[in-house]
Amino acid sequence: MPFSQNTNVRPRILIVGGGYLGFITAKKLLAGLNQGEGSVTVVDPNPYMTYQPFLPEVAAGSIEARHALVPLRRHLKGADIITGKVTSIDHANRTVNVDPELGDDFTLEYDHIVMAAGSVPRALPIPGLAEEGIGFKTIEEAVTLRDHVLARLDEAAVLTDPEERKRALTFVFVGGGFAGIEAIAEIQDMVKDAIKHYTRLSPEDPRFVLVEAMSRVMPEVSEEQAKWVVASLRERGVDVYLDTQLKSCENKHIVLSTGEEFDADTIVWNAGVKANPVLVDSDLPIDDRGRLMVGTDLRVRDDDGNVVEGAWGAGDNAAVPDVTGMGPGGFCVPNAQHALRHAPVLASNILTVIRGGGELKQYKHKTIGSVAGLGVGKGVAQVGKFGLRGLPAWMMHRGYHAYAMPTFERKARILGNWAVGLMFGRDASALMDLESPRHAFVDAANSKPAPKKEPKGEPAKS
């Protein structure tokens, strides 16, 4: 058995997912549990938590990729951290199946399970999307996108065919939600800075295209603010297509529902998310959208509203009721703001239950607003009916996310990144051969040895 489970410390609390919700919940539990009162195990495919609101700035070179991560083992001391995927859940027998990063699958037992598995991209069956598209939900994808975009500039600088150059410098972003808008705005800002250093390219060469199926962008802000965002992007040279769908991108040939067709070397997919599909392979109750059904106390409920003992959930993979009436369909929107506040309620209620009962906390949070960065010095914010734009909104965006970033150590690193960026500009350096880091060594090892030179003459005899 590849994992030796501590069965002496009960109850065993298993947290599926080490993202924002899982990390904060585990941290609160570890701080609240007395010695010998319970054990905490966290299972996640990565040994770190990714602060996803920073992905656009990672992709644009404003934040070092590792600084947008929180190492689980370093900051969850006392918890068992398992790097692997939970592939199925049998709550009736309180077990999960785990597929570790290395080694064979194994079964893990628990007394309480916290579903914090988050969400995955909601990819549609569009021809060519799986082959040509780049997602934007992980730190690896953000770094890959940055390197890919900068490599296109290098490629275009030496291309002589106008059509090939045009294709290399066309960047398509699908999805006009917060993630999609921030991604295209930050990347466009980075390219604007980077292209100044290319003698063979001009600022007018790159083409940025935003494709949104709805009639507006960023539903979290007011319609007036959304219109301003579109106008701002268009003023910066971005082609914004509303009420438009991507029909095909086979062989990087873009076909839009408007009938327009063109080639693009870069297709970034940001058109929504769905609950982690691990819930489908479980006996826990889910709704028609695959989300875990929970009450305001964040305990799992069945179809009749009865509590499923020992099962908890919140965040992106759960349908958490929004009692303020602000959430679409009556549920909390899947964002970091809610996850930040779900976690303390989860931890407090779990501690209450394992200590023999008491009044459980009910989750209620009225959204305080939304903030988005649109490049250095540019942003948009919505706080109730009050809206901000430009530099003040950008400062609010950075201030809020610096506050929300877990741990003092990571906050300090992020603030350091921003301070250096303000002095010297963003770091728009691409890292080559990340997918094949042994390429240079293999080439050297396989290269032919230098020919052995014959001696010019016989050595002198003494």
Side-chain angles (χ1 to χ4, degrees), residues 349-373:
N349 287 350
I350 292 171
L351 291 172
T352 298
V353 168
I354 67 176
R355 287 169 179 165
E359 186 176 354
L360 300 184
K361 293 183 178 180
Q362 306 298 309
Y363 181 74
K364 181 179 180 180
H365 169 65
K366 184 176 181 180
T367 301
I368 58 177
S370 302
V371 290

Side-chain angles (χ1 to χ4, degrees), residues 23 48 73 111 132 158 180 190 244 251 273 275 312 318 320 324 382 392 412 434 445:
F23 174 81
Y48 49 77
R73 288 185 175 86
D111 298 295
E132 308 294 352
V158 298
M190 178 189 72
T244 304
N251 300 315
V273 296
W312 308 78
V320 180
T324 68
Q382 184 79 44
L434 281 180

